[in-house]
Amino acid sequence: WHIRPYTTGMTTFVFTALIVLVGLPLVMHRQYSLDISAQLLRTQGYVNGQWINAPSTFPVLDPATGEEIAKVADCGPAEAKLAVDAAYKAFYSWKQHTAKERSVLLRKWYDLLTLNKEDLAKLITFECGKPMKESLGEIAYAAGFLEWFSEEARRVYGDVVPSAAKDRRILLLKQPVGVASIITPWNFPSAMITRKVGAALAAGCTIVVKPAEDTPLSALALAELASQAGIPAGVFNVVPCSREKTPSVGAVLCTDPLVGKVSFTGSTATGKILLKLAADTVKRVSMELGGHAPFIVFDSADVDKAVAGAMNSKFRNSGQTCVCSNRFLVQSKIHDCFIEKLGKAMDAELRLGHGSDPNTTQGPLINVRASEKVEHQVMDAVSRGAKVLRGGKRLDGSFHQPTLLADVTTDMLCTREETFGPLLPVIRFSTEKEALAIANASHVGLAGYFFSQDVSQIWRVAENLEVGMVGVNEGLLSTPEASFGGVKQSGLGREGSKYGIEEYLDVKYMCFGGLTP
């Protein structure tokens, strides 16, 4: 793998790269350019409606080339505190906006995301590595949350409860919790923001976003469009920072007494740290943490549909999704057929390259550490008896071949920890009971998938899988209308759906007494 960079101008970056097929290398020289509106390529922090500098900057790199895209303001605790203070001040006016007024502004923001989808998708591709088709899909997904919560803003209903006393009336009111700290990951740098922020703004909360250090440009572009949509100053703030400053910035966002809510998407280990920080001031928290999704194929399954589901679930974003299938359990009778068809599908459909190439289906992993983790899991599995049927090799930089492993056992590392990469390990099983035992033998439980045409089995397995989301004969399940979240150590709370807005609301009981019967 060889990549040669070129730079031309502030908003255009051109790269020449080799493209590699999953099986045999094919040399193809291409040029890729990040050519977007200068308005959307923001590199400063965004606080109280103003673009602010920080004492230093940090680089944002294209994971496909390792080349620098931009230098971004490296905000620290001081800038984070400014953002919290601005959000706290803005809260007292924002919460007075009517639900309809908030709805209209969210809708305008949605319209601007849709209008600028090409440029926003390019940002995702260059700082995250996704193929453009997937990046465009993420922008549609991200915009969908703004659309959904613009509608839910007008449906925050309280209750009138019958009272046992004739001279009293009981009312339950729903009110915004206040300032919400939003800490988001790099794998969906736009959608993970709008899924949280759409709900929070609809409820009447104000926001401070700390985006992942790998992907701040998408968050800052969203801030620019929020400003264009008319979101008032201080309501939506973004404080980008480097990996080195993340702990100190996170501490401010999780401990400041002016913050009423913390919402985080990321690893279970980091989530536990943030929970401890938030505990001192008893903040509301939402945590969408690690996953280790099982993908079960029963003998009764339609094998072709199961293969298609496996391809979608495993290789979207090169396996870097929190609901990505991590352990593939295939029943004995159809095991060999499934493996054969899956291998052929990988040969036919997967193509490594820079995300800007329209032929690319598999981009790079986010960084070298991520590709090294996949390599380590493959080596561990092979050392314990697994067979490599496709791929298996780490390439230069942060690329790793999509890999299919057979003869996998539950003592292998790839079946005991989340991979977050293009590794598909297949475990053979005999009975439904055995499959459920393997699937549930995890301390996390975010998503799970299975394929079956036995209706009774569908109900049994769906009810007994210890996960927050189940895909039945379906490998893609995320949508704004459905609740998103897990059980066990996969987190707390739900995002999306009608339940997502509840995470940003307190219920106030009002007892109206002294009435004349």
Side-chain angles (χ1 to χ4, degrees):
W1 186 270
H2 169 71
I3 297 167
R4 200 153 47 95
Y6 295 84
T7 302
T8 59
M10 184 181 71
T11 59
T12 302
F13 303 84
V14 182
F15 305 95
T16 300
L18 302 185
I19 306 303
V20 180
L21 291 172
V22 172
L24 300 174
L26 175 64
V27 179
M28 297 176 63
H29 291 283
R30 294 282 189 272
Q31 287 193 325
Y32 308 107
S33 62
L34 173 56
D35 185 8
I36 67 170
S37 166
Q39 278 191 316
L40 291 181
L41 188 61
R42 293 290 185 173
T43 59
Q44 298 167 290
Y46 184 70
V47 175
N48 201 27
Q50 302 293 321
W51 296 102
I52 67 166
N53 292 314
S56 60
T57 61
F58 67 99
V60 179
L61 307 179
D62 180 346
T65 66
E67 293 300 315
E68 183 178 299
I69 301 170
K71 290 186 183 295
V72 173
D74 194 2
C75 296
E79 290 77 21
K81 177 58 177 170
L82 283 176
V84 169
D85 290 345
Y88 185 74
K89 181 179 178 181
F91 172 64
Y92 287 94
S93 58
W94 179 246
K95 72 175 182 177
Q96 298 301 326
H97 280 61
T98 66
K100 183 176 181 180
E101 288 171 335
R102 294 196 296 268
S103 173
V104 168
L105 289 173
L106 283 169
R107 181 71 194 199
K108 288 181 179 178
W109 198 11
Y110 158 80
D111 289 337
L112 286 169
L113 259 69
T114 303
L115 182 65
N116 291 275
K117 62 183 180 182
E118 294 283 344
D119 281 354
L120 295 172
K122 288 178 184 178
L123 280 176
I124 292 174
T125 290
F126 274 80
E127 65 177 349
C128 176
K130 288 183 184 179
M132 267 295 289
K133 183 178 179 181
E134 289 192 25
S135 295
L136 285 166
E138 180 180 342
I139 294 303
Y141 184 47
F145 284 110
L146 298 182
E147 179 184 41
W148 172 260
F149 285 114
S150 74
E151 296 163 351
E152 288 299 292
R154 302 183 69 179
R155 297 179 177 85
V156 177
Y157 303 137
D159 296 291
V160 178
V161 181
S163 172
K166 293 182 179 180
D167 63 345
R168 297 180 185 178
R169 297 294 183 270
I170 296 173
L171 292 89
L172 304 181
L173 312 177
K174 293 183 179 179
Q175 298 182 316
V177 300
V179 177
S181 294
I182 305 296
I183 303 173
T184 58
W186 51 262
N187 59 334
F188 285 87
S190 292
M192 294 303 94
I193 291 175
T194 60
R195 189 164 72 185
K196 300 173 186 293
V197 170
L201 295 187
C205 296
T206 53
I207 306 299
V208 179
V209 174
K210 193 214 84 66
E213 64 272 12
D214 294 299
T215 55
L217 300 177
S218 291
L220 296 170
L222 291 179
E224 168 61 30
L225 295 180
S227 175
Q228 292 182 24
I231 304 291
V235 171
F236 181 67
N237 307 274
V238 181
V239 284
C241 67
S242 63
R243 181 181 296 273
E244 291 72 25
K245 289 189 178 177
T246 289
S248 59
V249 170
V252 171
L253 298 183
C254 293
T255 63
D256 193 298
L258 301 184
V259 173
K261 161 86 178 186
V262 177
S263 180
F264 169 72
T265 294
S267 72
T268 298
T270 301
K272 290 177 179 179
I273 294 171
L274 301 186
L275 279 168
K276 291 176 181 176
L277 291 174
D280 281 344
T281 45
V282 197
K283 300 189 190 305
R284 291 276 295 276
V285 294
S286 294
M287 296 279 155
E288 193 260 284
L289 307 178
H292 191 37
F295 186 106
I296 308 171
V297 185
F298 291 103
D299 283 340
S300 68
D302 181 317
V303 176
D304 290 331
K305 289 182 179 178
V307 167
M311 293 291 290
N312 287 331
S313 179
K314 177 75 261 185
F315 295 114
R316 184 168 62 109
N317 197 21
S318 298
Q320 300 173 112
T321 76
C322 50
V323 292
C324 171
S325 294
N326 212 62
R327 300 166 291 158
F328 288 76
L329 287 67
V330 183
Q331 202 158 11
S332 297
K333 187 185 296 184
I334 62 167
H335 175 276
D336 293 348
C337 177
F338 177 84
I339 287 279
E340 180 183 359
K341 290 190 174 186
L342 181 60
K344 290 180 179 178
M346 291 175 65
D347 292 340
E349 299 176 26
L350 302 184
R351 185 182 179 94
L352 282 167
H354 194 286
S356 291
D357 190 304
N359 295 315
T360 294
T361 66
Q362 297 289 284
L365 301 188
I366 190 63
N367 51 41
V368 171
R369 295 187 306 277
S371 61
E372 289 174 341
K373 180 180 181 181
V374 179
E375 179 184 39
H376 179 61
Q377 288 193 359
V378 172
M379 292 173 63
D380 170 81
V382 170
S383 72
R384 297 172 186 271
K387 294 179 182 177
V388 178
L389 301 184
R390 294 294 189 284
K393 296 180 180 179
R394 181 185 158 217
L395 304 173
D396 287 348
S398 54
F399 284 86
H400 195 288
Q401 289 180 325
T403 299
L404 174 61
L405 295 181
D407 297 340
V408 174
T409 57
T410 57
D411 63 335
M412 296 175 184
L413 196 58
C414 60
T415 66
R416 293 188 284 111
E417 68 176 24
E418 188 174 21
T419 301
F420 238 62
L423 172 58
L424 197 159
V426 179
I427 302 169
R428 185 194 297 262
F429 73 90
S430 297
T431 67
E432 179 184 310
K433 183 178 180 181
E434 179 189 0
L436 282 169
I438 295 171
N440 291 335
S442 174
H443 66 276
V444 294
L446 188 58
Y449 309 84
F450 68 93
F451 281 71
S452 171
Q453 297 184 89
D454 180 333
V455 175
S456 296
Q457 183 176 63
I458 287 172
W459 281 108
R460 286 195 307 270
V461 174
E463 291 175 350
N464 284 287
L465 274 177
E466 295 172 358
V467 295
M469 298 171 281
V470 181
V472 182
N473 296 324
E474 179 55 62
L476 298 175
L477 46 65
S478 299
T479 178
E481 296 84 357
S483 63
F484 193 102
V487 298
K488 298 181 178 178
Q489 293 184 37
S490 280
L492 303 166
R494 292 294 182 269
E495 295 182 335
S497 78
K498 68 176 184 178
Y499 299 105
I501 201 168
E502 300 288 339
E503 299 289 333
Y504 297 90
L505 295 166
D506 284 325
V507 178
K508 177 183 285 184
Y509 162 39
M510 185 175 86
C511 180
F512 194 163
L515 302 176
T516 302

